[in-house]
Amino acid sequence: MEAFKDDKTLLTGPYVFYATGAPGYTFRTPLKEGRRGVVAADLLLNRLEDMLDQQRLGKSGLAFLFNDDDEIVGHPEMSRLMDEMPERGEELPKVSTIKLAGLSEAIDAWRTHDAAQQFFTDQNGRTVVAALHRIETAGSANIRLAVIAPLDEFFAKIISERRALFAIALGFVLTMLPFAFWLGSLLARSLRELAQQTDQIQRFQLADQPQIQSMIGEIDELGRSVSTMRSVVRNFSSFIPRPIVRQLIESGASLKLGGARREVTVLFTDVADFTAKTEKADPSQVMIFTSRYFAAMSEAIMSHHGTIDKFIGDAVMAFWNAPADDPDHVSHACEAVLDCLDRNKELNLAFHNEGWPTYATRFGLHVGDAVVGNVGSADRMNYTALGATSILPRGLRVSTRTTAPRFW
């Protein structure tokens, strides 16, 4: 009749069944529809052994159920715990029978501070972590779940996976090392070649070289830039005296108007009867042969430390002791004139064999002070020498018609 006093489902406290000697619960619930009656059943706790055994963590982990009286109501080895009890009565084994140092204190701390995770040290000195949880659906039975495991076993899988991941990463790195060394050497070789080419440009060594190409876009673009820079400097030096260009590259200075007074040796050349010889010829042929003439004269002058100032029609203007200092500028200028005579002689022989009129060159040298520097405008200037020295003195000439130079 007690079962009909209310409509709630009732669960008895855990006890040992008299007939089987196994621990369990009895619950009852009244029928709410149809015939009047009550449904009752016994729940054996030893049925939880397999389920709790599957919930343990690691090799020595443990999951068990207990109540507020510190009685174990579910354990993976519940049958063994019952058999080890000194007196088989209606009592259940206590939490203390688990014989794990610090467990009871951890449960008390959980009840006091409601901290679901508790850490303690067992009798072997191992750190144990306990997770404690109330099972709300147990109602008045007040069943609690405890899952405990040594901390090292709790993280054993994570540690093993971390080690496996580290081994995989190390293997990948070792596998990629040859490729990394190959790629590094490839990049280093390209960068070394770029550095060598830029050094050559800085030293004014402007010979054509193949453009550096690379599968790395930035290095390939840098190779094109170096190649373009070489072409620009080479072309730039064709319009401005090479010593000036070299000086600008080495010093890093920029061109500016103005100059300085210094002693220079100035040379003017002149081709005798140039107009009469070329006025009826094809202009393109005149340009070709005259360019060959200028090239021969320029090579001779520059090989003796001279600076080519400009080409004036068929004339060449050059000077010594600027922009670089030349203490022997007078001697070098004279040596350059003698060299020009020899080259002119060889060139005239080639012109004669090709059916072109020979160029008889006259030379004028003058030594004195002049202002040497850049003249013109900010966007277009010319490096030259200005002053009385830079004007061809009348009557001072060297003729190529004699085997030795003659002045008059």
Side-chain angles (χ1 to χ4, degrees):
M1 297 301 295
E2 292 294 329
F4 294 104
K5 288 184 178 180
D6 56 53
D7 295 333
K8 296 181 179 180
T9 298
L10 296 180
L11 183 67
T12 67
Y15 64 96
V16 178
F17 295 147
Y18 177 78
T20 62
Y25 287 89
T26 298
F27 82 95
R28 62 89 180 148
T29 183
L31 295 175
K32 297 180 180 179
E33 295 181 3
R35 300 181 63 180
R36 187 169 181 265
V38 175
V39 176
D42 294 331
L43 300 176
L44 297 178
L45 296 180
N46 56 13
R47 299 296 183 185
L48 299 174
E49 291 183 7
D50 293 339
M51 182 194 72
L52 292 173
D53 185 62
Q54 296 174 359
Q55 303 304 314
R56 69 177 181 177
L57 299 175
K59 295 181 179 179
S60 54
L62 174 65
F64 66 94
L65 300 173
F66 66 100
N67 58 20
D68 287 345
D69 295 328
D70 285 343
E71 294 177 325
I72 298 176
V73 298
H75 192 280
E77 298 178 351
M78 192 67 182
S79 299
R80 180 183 62 80
L81 294 179
M82 293 296 298
D83 293 339
E84 291 177 353
M85 293 183 65
E87 296 182 3
R88 290 291 300 272
E90 295 185 356
E91 294 183 357
L92 296 174
K94 296 291 186 177
V95 172
S96 58
T97 60
I98 296 178
K99 297 181 181 180
L100 183 61
L103 177 59
S104 298
E105 290 79 0
I107 293 176
D108 292 340
W110 167 62
R111 287 173 176 154
T112 303
H113 303 292
D114 199 26
Q117 286 79 35
Q118 296 292 326
F119 294 87
F120 59 93
T121 304
D122 65 6
Q123 59 271 23
N124 297 321
R126 301 173 72 185
T127 301
V128 180
V129 60
L132 305 167
H133 182 69
R134 295 181 179 86
I135 301 178
E136 302 296 342
T137 56
S140 59
N142 297 324
I143 298 177
R144 316 303 185 202
L145 172 65
V147 180
I148 59 177
L151 191 60
D152 54 354
E153 291 185 6
F154 183 77
F155 293 107
K157 186 175 182 180
I158 297 176
I159 294 174
S160 63
E161 290 181 353
R162 184 180 64 183
R163 289 175 179 171
L165 182 61
F166 177 77
I168 293 173
L170 181 61
F172 176 78
V173 171
L174 293 176
T175 303
M176 295 300 293
L177 274 179
F179 174 76
F181 280 121
W182 172 80
L183 182 60
S185 63
L186 184 64
L187 294 177
R189 184 168 63 251
S190 299
L191 292 176
R192 282 195 300 269
E193 292 177 357
L194 285 171
Q196 291 174 357
Q197 291 194 13
T198 53
D199 289 342
Q200 290 172 357
I201 294 173
Q202 189 173 8
R203 294 193 299 268
F204 218 66
Q205 299 173 0
L206 305 176
D208 283 331
Q209 293 190 20
Q211 177 183 322
I212 295 177
Q213 297 180 343
S214 173
M215 61 182 178
I216 307 300
E218 290 77 5
I219 296 180
D220 191 66
E221 183 65 26
L222 186 58
R224 286 196 295 269
S225 299
V226 171
S227 180
T228 302
M229 180 172 61
R230 181 187 297 105
S231 299
V232 169
V233 173
R234 185 168 54 246
N235 295 334
F236 185 62
S237 63
S238 299
F239 295 93
I240 296 179
R242 288 201 171 196
I244 301 298
V245 180
R246 182 182 291 108
Q247 189 179 54
L248 290 173
I249 294 176
E250 292 176 352
S251 65
S254 59
L255 288 173
K256 58 182 179 180
L257 295 173
R261 180 179 294 274
R262 64 193 306 169
E263 184 183 67
V264 294
T265 300
V266 181
L267 168 67
F268 283 95
T269 71
D270 174 59
V271 176
D273 301 324
F274 179 79
T275 303
K277 293 179 179 180
T278 59
E279 61 182 353
K280 296 181 179 180
D282 183 0
S284 62
Q285 292 297 310
V286 174
M287 180 174 291
I288 292 174
F289 283 95
T290 304
S291 295
R292 290 171 59 184
Y293 167 78
F294 283 150
M297 297 298 102
S298 298
E299 289 175 2
I301 293 170
M302 289 189 294
S303 65
H304 294 280
H305 312 288
T307 298
I308 303 296
D309 185 317
K310 60 177 69 71
F311 301 112
I312 312 169
D314 61 296
V316 178
M317 177 182 175
F319 49 82
W320 282 258
N321 200 30
D325 293 336
D326 184 2
D328 300 322
H329 56 92
V330 175
S331 298
H332 289 156
C334 293
E335 292 170 357
V337 171
L338 295 175
D339 193 5
C340 286
L341 288 170
D342 294 337
R343 293 177 185 247
N344 195 186
K345 184 177 180 180
E346 295 175 0
L347 190 63
N348 283 335
L349 181 60
F351 283 1
H352 177 73
N353 294 334
E354 297 175 26
W356 189 258
T358 59
Y359 289 175
T361 307
R362 296 173 292 197
F363 300 84
L365 284 175
H366 191 194
V367 180
D369 289 340
V371 176
V372 183
N374 297 307
V375 63
S377 63
D379 58 352
R380 188 175 181 85
M381 60 186 69
N382 179 40
Y383 185 82
T384 188
L386 297 179
T389 304
S390 61
I391 301 175
L392 178 64
R394 295 181 179 179
L396 182 58
R397 295 178 180 176
V398 180
S399 175
T400 60
R401 295 173 182 159
T402 60
T403 56
R406 178 165 54 91
F407 297 83
W408 74 93

